[in-house]
Amino acid sequence: MNGGLLVAGTTSDAGKSVVTAGICRWLVRQGVKVAPFKAQNMSLNSFVTREGAEIGRAQAMQAQACRVEPTALMNPVLLKPGGERSSQVVLLGRPVGEMTARGYHGGRQERLLGTVLDSLAELRGSYDAVICEGAGSPAEINLRRTDIVNMGIARGAGLPVLVVGDIDRGGVFASFFGTVALLAPEDQALVAGFLVNKFRGDVSLLEPGLDMLHGLTGRRTYGVLPFRHGLGIDEEDGLRVSLRGTVRESAVEPPVGEDVLRVAVCAVPLMSNFTDVDALAAEPGVVVRFVDRPEELADADLVIVPGTRGTVRALEWLRERGLADGIARRVAEGRPVLGVCGGFQLLGEHIEDDVESRAGHVEGLGLLPVRVRFAREKTLTRPVGEALGERVEGYEIHHGVAEVLGGTPFLDGCRVGHTWGTHWHGSLESDGFRRAFLREVAAAAGRRFVPAPGTSFAALREEQLDRLGDLIEQHADTDALWRLIESGAPSGLPFVPPGAPA
């Protein structure tokens, strides 16, 4: 078997990442050696592979669904927004510069098609199947000429395309039909059919519409996936996280101790790697929420200032919102604060930034004895260490170089009292360290909170991935899906007018 499939969507956030992970987990349970692939990802939520390459966290999660180690080949192009108009371009795991959207789509993107196709070909030479994820919608006709992630990669590699639609949003039949009808004949020939996502209710009520859709397009529906809470693992974009919502919709067990712990995460601009707090949210009795007002810090037992692609901009935002003063008051009162990556940098004394914001010398919050200088070379590592008497693993993604001038060592950063700072993302996924850290927070906050002794974040993630595989196995036509992956799009698929505009 040397199969492949592109999972496209009618819109952004239709469920492509989750469906791709589900198909990967279903296949690997059938004994198939499978890998994920996304040609181009736009995300501030990234990960570092063992060889020191930066890729989207969604592809790292999909690699885990495949039970393989993630590599740069699985996400050859990563775009990390630095504002409304520009992004850092990461090519095969390494940053190669900043570029505006106009500059990227004006020629650079087309030149990357060869790199993308080479990466996909290398993966296909090593795996039985490669399940690719598209981006946005394949019917974005203004971008089709330069497309390297949807129909551009499907055409270049001869991949069949499965279009996912989120029925919970409404209008899914129009979205399916319109997606096909806005594609050129050569692109339409690769669109094999549809997959309905997030359906609530009786599937028999949907079937007449699916039959009519088949009559209109000549394309079948490969499954109807029911709505399930708590499946949003390792989302692509932290900018879409609700400021008032909890991190996870899924219920957790009641607290082991008498009290809960309340964690407030400052929703800074260009927030990156917001998944750092997922391991906290998975703990029984820990309540995590994102906040953007100083009064929301008042009842928090722990305040986290997360990573950001714009440290100086986040610092200004905290000051404008009054959150900086609120954090400073907490530190003065000895109440717990944790800064991660960019959040760690802005807790320091000052920042010299001629790289990210080009703001030069900027005074930090002065809450940790740290000075930060931004280097042009990005640090991309997978460190292992010890803190609070426990082994810790993490990953680093940053331009800022911290000079620690005092305090007690804490991972690569420091702590002063109950204020901690580190560049390490993912440290809280280390179960022993997380429990030790929460015990310190609870003691400092005066809470009778006890960490659950048996919580394994890795096991919880595996359970979620298995749930995704179950969705595909139980609610998709897996025989038809197998044929599609193995043999490609059916021949003779009809053209749906009007097709792509000239």
Side-chain angles (χ1 to χ4, degrees):
M1 182 179 184
N2 185 14
L5 175 69
L6 175 71
V7 178
T10 56
T11 62
S12 295
D13 206 29
K16 297 184 291 292
S17 296
V18 167
V19 168
T20 300
I23 292 174
C24 287
R25 178 49 62 100
W26 162 67
L27 283 172
V28 81
R29 294 196 307 207
Q30 309 308 307
V32 177
K33 187 181 179 185
V34 59
F37 179 80
K38 185 162 185 172
Q40 173 192 292
N41 201 345
M42 177 172 279
S43 178
L44 290 172
N45 202 17
S46 59
F47 183 74
V48 179
T49 67
R50 293 215 178 273
E51 71 266 30
E54 185 179 9
I55 65 171
R57 267 199 75 100
Q59 280 59 66
M61 176 268 291
Q62 290 160 359
Q64 186 174 350
C66 298
R67 297 180 179 143
V68 299
E69 192 66 34
T71 73
L73 294 174
M74 296 172 183
N75 179 207
V77 181
L78 174 64
L79 306 179
K80 302 193 71 175
E84 295 297 323
R85 297 180 180 273
S86 68
S87 294
Q88 183 181 64
V89 180
V90 179
L91 181 62
L92 290 173
R94 296 289 174 181
V96 293
E98 296 278 336
M99 189 164 288
T100 65
R102 180 178 292 275
Y104 185 67
H105 290 287
R108 177 65 181 269
Q109 187 178 29
E110 285 179 284
R111 294 195 294 273
L112 293 175
L113 181 59
T115 300
V116 163
L117 289 172
D118 288 345
S119 299
L120 177 56
E122 189 169 341
L123 281 178
R124 295 185 79 178
S126 302
Y127 291 87
D128 300 329
V130 177
I131 307 302
C132 308
E133 179 189 343
S137 163
E140 291 168 348
I141 53 180
N142 56 315
L143 302 177
R144 176 62 186 91
R145 181 180 61 82
T146 58
D147 171 46
I148 64 170
V149 66
N150 289 307
M151 300 315 299
I153 191 72
R155 285 268 292 277
L159 295 172
V161 178
L162 184 68
V163 180
V164 178
D166 179 357
I167 197 170
D168 199 48
R169 295 183 174 188
V172 74
F173 292 116
S175 297
F176 281 145
F177 181 87
T179 296
V180 178
L182 281 176
L183 299 178
E186 297 84 356
D187 289 345
Q188 287 194 22
L190 295 172
V191 178
F194 313 107
L195 186 75
V196 177
N197 192 26
K198 299 184 184 178
F199 180 72
R200 306 171 191 253
D202 186 347
V203 175
S204 66
L205 299 177
L206 189 66
E207 288 171 350
L210 300 178
D211 292 339
M212 286 186 272
L213 183 66
H214 184 271
L216 288 165
T217 67
R219 288 157 175 86
R220 58 169 299 165
T221 298
Y222 283 76
V224 178
L225 306 185
F227 188 96
R228 290 286 186 268
H229 285 285
L231 293 179
I233 52 178
D234 288 12
E235 303 286 353
E236 287 191 349
D237 197 346
L239 300 178
R240 297 197 196 99
V241 176
S242 167
L243 298 183
R244 301 295 184 275
T246 55
V247 179
R248 287 284 174 261
E249 295 176 319
S250 54
V252 296
E253 297 294 322
V256 175
E258 297 179 45
D259 289 342
V260 300
L261 276 185
R262 295 173 175 84
V263 179
V265 184
C266 297
V268 296
L270 298 174
M271 181 168 50
S272 62
N273 290 74
F274 68 97
T275 48
D276 283 336
V277 301
D278 283 358
L280 293 180
E283 279 285 346
V286 177
V287 180
V288 180
R289 66 183 188 273
F290 292 93
V291 303
D292 64 347
R293 297 180 298 192
E295 56 268 28
E296 294 177 296
L297 304 182
D299 68 342
D301 301 305
L302 170 66
V303 168
I304 295 179
V305 187
T308 171
R309 174 84 163 90
T311 300
V312 171
R313 179 175 169 186
L315 181 59
E316 293 169 349
W317 181 86
L318 290 170
R319 286 176 167 143
E320 290 166 0
R321 292 270 179 161
L323 287 160
D325 290 338
I327 293 169
R329 282 194 297 271
R330 288 185 63 89
V331 171
E333 294 165 1
R335 302 174 68 195
V337 173
L338 171 65
V340 179
C341 201
F344 164 45
Q345 295 167 4
L346 61 81
L347 292 179
E349 296 173 357
H350 70 249
I351 298 166
E352 292 289 342
D353 182 10
D354 296 319
V355 176
E356 189 176 78
S357 68
R358 297 180 175 84
H361 181 90
V362 177
E363 293 298 317
L365 297 185
L367 304 177
L368 286 174
V370 174
R371 296 173 183 171
V372 176
R373 175 186 55 82
F374 273 69
R376 297 200 176 276
E377 185 72 19
K378 182 184 279 193
T379 298
L380 296 168
T381 64
R382 290 273 292 272
V384 176
E386 185 177 300
L388 306 181
E390 299 287 346
R391 186 177 187 273
V392 190
E393 295 184 29
Y395 57 99
E396 296 185 51
I397 306 171
H398 54 91
H399 284 281
V401 178
E403 181 186 5
V404 179
L405 303 172
T408 303
F410 177 70
L411 302 177
D412 73 324
C414 66
R415 69 175 290 184
V416 174
H418 296 295
T419 302
W420 296 266
T422 177
H423 277 125
W424 289 25
H425 295 290
S427 63
L428 293 167
E429 295 180 18
S430 298
D431 296 327
F433 167 71
R434 181 179 65 253
R435 286 191 277 269
F437 178 73
L438 290 176
R439 282 192 290 269
E440 289 222 8
V441 169
R447 296 289 186 188
R448 290 170 293 184
F449 168 86
V450 179
T455 302
S456 167
F457 185 72
L460 290 172
R461 172 157 293 180
E462 277 296 303
E463 289 174 13
Q464 285 188 305
L465 292 170
D466 276 331
R467 291 175 68 196
L468 297 182
D470 292 343
L471 276 180
I472 298 299
E473 191 168 326
Q474 296 167 11
H475 300 282
D477 185 339
T478 53
D479 289 339
L481 197 56
W482 185 281
R483 289 192 298 271
L484 186 63
I485 293 168
E486 191 172 35
S487 304
S491 60
L493 291 168
F495 172 71
V496 178

